[in-house]
Amino acid sequence: MDFTIQNNKDTRSGFGEGLLEAGRRNPKVVAFCADLTGSLKMGDFAKEFPERFFQTGIAEANMINMAAGMALSGFVPFTGTFAAFSTGRVYDQIRQSVAYSNKNVKIAASHAGVTLGEDGATHQILEDIGLMKMLPNMTVIVPCDFNQTKNATIAAAEYEGPVYLRFGRPKVPNFTPVDDKFVIGKAQMLQEGTDVTIFACGHLVWKAVQALPILKEMGINAELINIHTIKPLDVEAVLKSVGKTRCVVTAEEHQRNGGLGDSIAQVLALNMPCPMEMVAVNDVFGQSGTPDELLKAYHLDTPDIVEAVKKVVDRKQ
Amino acid sequence: MTINELERIASQVRRDIIRMVHGCQSGHPGGSLGATDIVTALYFDQMQIDPANFRMDGNGEDMFFLSNGHISPMFYSILARRGYFPVSELATFRRLGTRLQGHPTTAEGLPGVRIASGSLGQGLSVAVGAAQAKRLNGDKHLVFVLMGDGEQEEGQIWEAAMYAPAKGVDNLIAIVDYNKKQIDGSTDDVLNLGDLRAKYEAFGWNVLEMSGNNMQAVVNTLKFARENAFQGKPQLILAHTEMGMGVDFMMGTHKWHGSAPNDEQAANALSQLQETLGDY
């Protein structure tokens, strides 16, 4: 993978562009938003397809169930609000009417994790991946940059079934290819290596990319894999990589409980036990601050990934 | 269909309810018996539907959603009697491996059910979504939803109640099974619903009231509501019903909300309900 930064863009804008493109490709794509059209970057879709855009007001439960009702008739509804209000606030609605009823609803969740920043812990959900991946029938996607979020949005629209699509607020380096085909459930190899496998998702993929040259200088040849689909997990890719490297670091902007690391650990414990370290939030809530300050404060930054790699490589020996 | 024919079907549905709940010694007979006349009138007289060719998408036909999913015995009996699936399958209610789960679901593929219900408060929102889908599709059919009165205590009901009039969703007819009872007692005691009519009217609904256990009144009111659809507002029918209707010892109390009759009680109940279409 070429790690050249094309530009700095927010993943939510990738969603906005992806939604517009999905709407152009398929007249059945519709969108609901609970009073966060600007934050979710859904304005272009609403402008181009006003009859297919539903402003629900601040009523997320109603939004999720209306989307399920509309999906019945062959529409492909996206719901848009912050990740906190896309999951915890409406868990029962999603569980009964979307996941259990297996409706073709796409839950688009922005401002996930601590990088939401100054608004603080009420809005910085760090439990959403766990909540969603526990639900049978639910697919969980966490793209890493603008281009990938756009492509993932288009892929989600083409996929039949419930999808949770998680992205964020800040501008981050955009490096994946513009026209990269997004394959749901297929892990993305970013760099091959032999000494350790780093599995990352979301904003922490770039943090892991930045760790690669530092590790190389230390003589550690790391493999980096972007797990953009937490569920279904690409078990084959995980085992193939770890079979080679025999030690693992996971990196995510989420609680350790219920997150990517938890999913990887389950696969390894059952199939290929090996040393593992997790870069994640460990059972605490977030707080106000800038995204960069918070990533440092909660040990989700490049130096934390480097430290975790050093530790896990030591444990292997 | 004549009123007498509808009443004969309702009698059989009530027998089915008693036998189903007695058969598995669980389920919710009280509300099921009370709502029987309304849903019988919908499925056998008022709704334009095609049971022999059930389509999940409901395109080109009227759609019904049961929001208070616990009165599933009534729903299953009517679906079976209307031809969605074999009547004999009613005997499997709540048994391991059945398509007739305790609360309605789509997971087992039972024809006639379009979404799971059981956790209360969601059905009105689902119906609003389905109604908007019909508008987008240019489908001039209606969406019906039945809710419990205790269910009106759920906050989400009022999110949907606010949304539907605000967006002019006028192909929607919502019905409240207003028996004034819930598990813990009367709705007045548990959480007084206040003036439901005034509340819905204040939210912008056209509100009708009917005697929900008088088949003639039910048919007349549903017909009136049908004729008044597509006039800019959603419609709500407050259906005054009696929990346990048709079985004397189950009426006038909330005690049969969620408990099954024993052998003697079931025999007593069935002696009060005429077998009209043949038991399953």
Side-chain angles (χ1 to χ4, degrees):
Chain A
M1 175 72 69
D2 174 9
F3 295 125
T4 305
I5 299 175
Q6 298 160 29
N7 44 48
N8 282 293
K9 282 185 171 180
D10 44 354
T11 50
R12 56 185 167 140
S13 287
F15 165 68
E17 281 199 15
L19 179 65
L20 181 62
E21 178 61 26
R24 287 174 177 164
R25 291 187 190 182
N26 181 359
K28 290 291 187 186
V29 169
V30 297
F32 292 80
C33 186
D35 196 32
L36 286 170
T37 310
S39 297
L40 269 286
K41 305 294 180 187
M42 297 169 86
D44 289 342
F45 181 95
K47 195 174 169 194
E48 187 160 327
F49 306 109
E51 75 288 356
R52 285 154 56 191
F53 177 76
F54 300 89
Q55 168 63 263
T56 69
I58 310 163
E60 295 82 6
N62 188 42
M63 173 170 75
I64 294 293
N65 280 128
M66 288 198 297
M70 193 165 282
L72 272 173
S73 298
F75 288 97
V76 184
F78 281 76
T79 64
T81 182
F82 291 163
F85 315 138
S86 293
T87 55
R89 188 176 184 86
V90 290
Y91 198 62
D92 185 47
Q93 285 76 16
I94 293 173
R95 180 176 177 273
Q96 175 168 286
S97 294
V98 178
Y100 185 34
S101 295
N102 206 11
K103 298 302 177 221
N104 196 21
V105 175
K106 318 301 173 185
I107 300 159
S110 185
H111 293 55
V114 293
T115 54
L116 167 139
E118 295 80 354
D119 279 351
T122 54
H123 288 47
Q124 291 163 345
I125 195 162
L126 294 163
E127 304 83 31
D128 55 320
I129 292 174
L131 287 170
M132 290 297 115
K133 80 177 188 184
M134 276 199 292
L135 293 171
N137 294 336
M138 185 62 75
T139 291
V140 179
I141 299 174
V142 186
C144 69
D145 67 3
F146 172 93
N147 286 340
Q148 187 159 75
T149 307
K150 179 177 178 180
N151 292 323
T153 303
I154 293 165
E158 291 169 353
Y159 168 84
E160 176 78 25
V163 172
Y164 179 66
L165 180 64
R166 180 203 216 224
F167 44 91
R169 174 176 180 241
K171 289 191 167 76
V172 294
N174 184 27
F175 68 97
T176 63
V178 172
D179 51 359
D180 208 18
K181 172 79 178 162
F182 189 91
V183 182
I184 293 173
K186 182 82 179 150
Q188 183 180 34
M189 176 66 74
L190 293 180
Q191 175 163 302
E192 294 195 39
T194 52
D195 299 336
V196 59
T197 305
I198 305 171
F199 295 108
C201 67
H203 290 144
L204 263 61
V205 171
W206 181 254
K207 296 294 183 189
V209 167
Q210 289 180 302
L212 293 175
I214 300 169
L215 293 170
K216 193 174 177 188
E217 271 194 19
M218 297 165 64
I220 297 173
N221 181 11
E223 180 148 304
L224 175 58
I225 296 179
N226 173 15
I227 304 288
H228 55 58
T229 308
I230 310 288
K231 186 188 170 190
L233 187 63
D234 190 345
V235 173
E236 193 185 333
V238 170
L239 293 178
K240 187 178 170 199
S241 176
V242 180
K244 179 174 59 175
T245 63
R246 289 287 165 180
C247 70
V248 170
V249 168
T250 57
E252 62 192 307
E253 191 182 350
H254 188 272
Q255 297 286 357
R256 183 183 284 189
N257 286 329
L260 165 67
D262 175 301
S263 288
I264 300 279
Q266 190 182 117
V267 169
L268 296 179
L270 293 174
N271 298 282
M272 197 179 284
C274 68
M276 178 169 178
E277 294 292 328
M278 297 182 187
V279 175
V281 177
N282 194 6
D283 209 23
V284 293
F285 288 103
Q287 61 176 306
S288 293
T290 67
D292 285 343
E293 286 171 347
L294 289 161
L295 287 173
K296 282 187 180 65
Y298 289 87
H299 305 294
L300 304 173
D301 209 348
T302 297
D304 304 299
I305 296 172
V306 171
E307 281 307 305
V309 168
K310 279 163 62 182
K311 194 171 169 189
V312 86
V313 168
D314 283 348
R315 285 175 60 198
K316 183 169 73 162
Q317 284 153 3
Chain B
M1 196 168 271
T2 68
I3 297 300
N4 183 256
E5 285 170 319
L6 291 170
E7 287 171 345
R8 284 172 55 81
I9 294 167
S11 179
Q12 185 66 52
V13 168
R14 288 189 163 97
R15 283 186 68 87
D16 291 346
I17 292 166
I18 295 296
R19 298 182 71 241
M20 290 165 75
V21 173
H22 174 251
C24 63
Q25 282 299 295
S26 70
H28 299 78
S32 294
L33 292 166
T36 293
D37 302 300
I38 301 164
V39 182
T40 298
L42 280 171
Y43 270 88
F44 285 87
D45 191 62
Q46 287 296 309
M47 288 204 303
Q48 295 168 5
I49 48 175
D50 186 7
N53 303 293
F54 173 68
R55 289 167 57 106
M56 180 58 85
D57 62 24
N59 291 338
E61 62 179 339
D62 292 336
M63 294 168 88
F64 173 81
F65 295 98
L66 180 68
S67 187
N68 49 336
H70 57 275
I71 61 172
S72 58
M74 174 277 299
F75 190 33
Y76 293 146
S77 167
I78 287 171
L79 289 177
R81 297 287 172 185
R82 189 67 177 83
Y84 282 91
F85 57 87
V87 171
S88 60
E89 203 168 337
L90 295 176
T92 68
F93 176 57
R94 284 182 171 241
R95 295 185 190 278
L96 187 65
T98 185
R99 298 198 292 179
L100 280 60
Q101 292 287 302
H103 294 79
T105 82
T106 55
E108 293 77 20
L110 186 69
V113 181
R114 292 195 167 91
I115 198 160
S117 59
S119 175
L120 295 170
Q122 300 186 27
L124 185 58
S125 301
V126 171
V128 173
Q132 290 183 117
K134 287 208 177 300
R135 280 150 55 108
L136 274 183
N137 281 331
D139 179 351
K140 300 299 272 185
H141 287 83
L142 296 173
V143 175
F144 294 87
V145 56
L146 179 66
M147 300 177 278
D149 51 2
E151 188 177 12
Q152 303 303 304
E153 292 156 9
E154 291 280 8
Q156 187 184 344
I157 293 287
W158 302 97
E159 292 185 6
M162 186 181 290
Y163 181 97
K167 307 289 181 176
V169 182
D170 59 3
N171 52 344
L172 171 69
I173 298 174
I175 305 166
V176 174
D177 181 11
Y178 201 13
N179 58 31
K180 302 186 178 63
K181 291 179 185 63
Q182 55 193 111
I183 302 182
D184 272 358
S186 76
T187 51
D188 285 352
D189 291 338
V190 175
L191 182 62
N192 197 317
L193 302 177
D195 189 340
L196 263 191
R197 179 181 186 120
K199 286 178 182 177
Y200 271 97
E201 283 178 341
F203 275 67
W205 292 65
N206 270 338
V207 180
L208 306 169
E209 297 197 48
M210 70 183 183
S211 172
N213 295 125
N214 177 325
M215 192 61 83
Q216 185 71 63
V218 170
V219 168
N220 289 349
T221 309
L222 291 175
K223 193 158 174 278
F224 181 85
R226 285 199 71 97
E227 289 164 359
N228 284 276
F230 304 106
Q231 293 185 22
K233 282 185 173 188
Q235 299 182 86
L236 182 102
I237 302 174
L238 277 179
H240 296 272
T241 58
E242 177 71 47
M243 192 181 267
M245 177 55 95
V247 177
D248 56 9
F249 64 90
M250 291 185 173
M251 294 165 65
T253 173
H254 65 275
K255 299 234 169 4
W256 293 94
H257 168 91
S259 46
N262 61 27
D263 292 351
E264 190 185 335
Q265 291 163 331
N268 181 359
L270 291 173
S271 75
Q272 302 175 40
L273 299 165
Q274 193 189 353
E275 182 179 352
T276 54
L277 304 176
D279 287 339
Y280 63 83

